[in-house]
Amino acid sequence: MRIGVDLGGTKIEAIALDAEGRELARRRVASPSHDYTQTIEAVRALVAGLERELGAARARVGVGTPGAISSLTGLIKNANSTALNGRPLADDLARALGREIRVENDANCFALSEASDGAGAGRRVVFGVILGTGVGGGLVHDGRVWVGPNAIAGEWGHNEMPPRGQESLPDTRCYCGRRRCIETFVSGPGLAADHRRGAPGAAPSLDAAAIAALARAGDAEAGATMARFYERLAGALATVINVLDPDVVVLGGGLSNIEPLCDEVRARLPAHVFSDALATPVVTNRHGDSSGVRGAAWLWPA
Ligand SMILES: [Zn+2]
């Protein structure tokens, strides 16, 4: 039996999968944010609870986490749940659970889940895209996560947004310290901020889903915001396709629920991709919010 654990900012979720990837049981608890020791204990208790419930012992456990494991130090880096940064998460979990634990970046878990039995199943090179509070991505090659020496493979969100045509981009600042990161334009907060810049009279509380709904209802300013968003997203994704030429691009994260997203991106990509025709399928994920926790379980072979 395999257990996947997803360390989210608001909840920690665990799932047990059988060899075919069928869900056997699921548990979740509120995330003890900012407290590292309680996070380790919460994971231990979730795994023990699932094993008790299913009458199993010593399941293989994979954990999806924000950030990545530094190849230099073995410690977590780049996590937005900052209590994890600088901690030897894999070692501490292994000690708490008394077994070897596989730990992987949550966007990589998303890509692995979709490559294993989701929207990218059967494809050799799968690029999984997270469009949510942040912009991330993961790369799976022949069913295995491609990590890279810096543990940043697939992390396209902190490249500079390519300006398309004559567009002069706003001078956005990113939490990473750089300017005009892709994330500051095509994340949920990035889209909302762009709408506030383009429509100063709009309600400042509008989030990405509300702006997309307004655009569908015919609001001209929201429509213009969404057009900029789709165009920038297509231009930024094209830089990944031009380098990597993946067999499929799977869209995930909260913004992937915006209904015309896939169609809009597919329609706009050919203008940016260095090819006579675009042969790359761009698809919506199959497992939705469960992709991260399922992918963590898939870190172990069936
Ligand atoms: Zn950045």
Side-chain angles (χ1 to χ4, degrees):
M1 193 175 76
R2 296 170 292 165
I3 291 178
V5 180
D6 185 37
L7 294 180
T10 56
K11 66 178 185 337
I12 301 177
E13 188 161 33
I15 193 174
L17 297 185
D18 70 8
E20 278 74 47
R22 282 185 297 253
E23 178 177 336
L24 300 172
R26 179 187 293 246
R27 290 179 177 224
R28 71 181 62 161
V29 294
S31 201
S33 48
H34 314 308
D35 192 313
Y36 179 72
T37 308
Q38 282 181 35
T39 299
I40 299 290
E41 170 53 24
V43 173
R44 189 206 61 76
L46 280 171
V47 170
L50 281 175
E51 288 179 334
R52 242 187 347 266
E53 177 181 342
L54 297 168
R58 296 185 63 78
R60 290 169 295 178
V61 178
V63 177
T65 174
I69 297 177
S70 165
S71 54
L72 285 178
T73 62
L75 309 177
I76 295 284
K77 64 173 181 179
N78 295 354
N80 53 2
S81 301
T82 49
L84 300 173
N85 283 325
R87 301 286 193 162
L89 180 67
D91 290 348
D92 288 339
L93 285 171
R95 201 170 303 119
L97 286 158
R99 72 197 82 172
E100 183 195 350
I101 306 293
R102 292 187 178 172
V103 176
E104 192 48 77
N105 166 265
D106 46 15
N108 291 350
C109 289
F110 163 77
L112 181 59
S113 168
E114 293 297 325
S116 297
D117 67 347
R123 309 275 184 173
R124 289 196 68 190
V125 176
V126 177
F127 181 54
V129 172
I130 298 287
L131 299 168
T133 311
V135 170
L139 191 59
V140 172
H141 177 236
D142 285 344
R144 298 184 68 148
V145 172
W146 189 272
V147 179
N150 301 294
I152 54 168
E155 292 290 354
W156 63 304
H158 298 274
N159 285 349
E160 188 166 354
M161 172 64 72
R164 308 309 307 185
Q166 298 303 309
E167 184 186 30
S168 69
L169 285 167
D171 188 20
T172 57
R173 308 292 166 104
C174 185
Y175 78 88
C176 76
R178 297 173 182 84
R179 301 157 91 153
R180 299 192 191 92
C181 283
I182 287 168
E183 176 167 307
T184 65
F185 293 96
V186 298
S187 63
L191 194 165
D194 194 60
H195 188 60
R196 288 193 296 271
R197 282 190 297 266
S205 59
L206 286 177
D207 65 6
I211 295 163
L214 276 176
R216 273 198 303 280
D219 181 282
E221 286 178 326
T225 299
M226 294 308 296
R228 287 194 299 275
F229 168 74
Y230 296 134
E231 190 63 24
R232 288 168 180 166
L233 179 57
L237 268 179
T239 64
V240 178
I241 294 173
N242 281 343
V243 172
L244 189 63
D245 205 3
D247 294 302
V248 63
V249 174
V250 184
L251 302 181
L255 298 195
S256 67
N257 296 321
I258 294 175
E259 208 246 294
L261 182 69
C262 254
D263 291 343
E264 292 283 354
V265 170
R266 271 195 299 253
R268 291 160 191 267
L269 266 174
H272 304 290
V273 172
F274 185 55
S275 175
D276 57 342
L278 182 72
T280 318
V282 179
V283 297
T284 304
N285 65 83
R286 180 177 297 167
H287 293 298
D289 290 344
S290 292
S291 268
V293 73
R294 293 181 62 89
W298 280 106
L299 290 172
W300 292 94

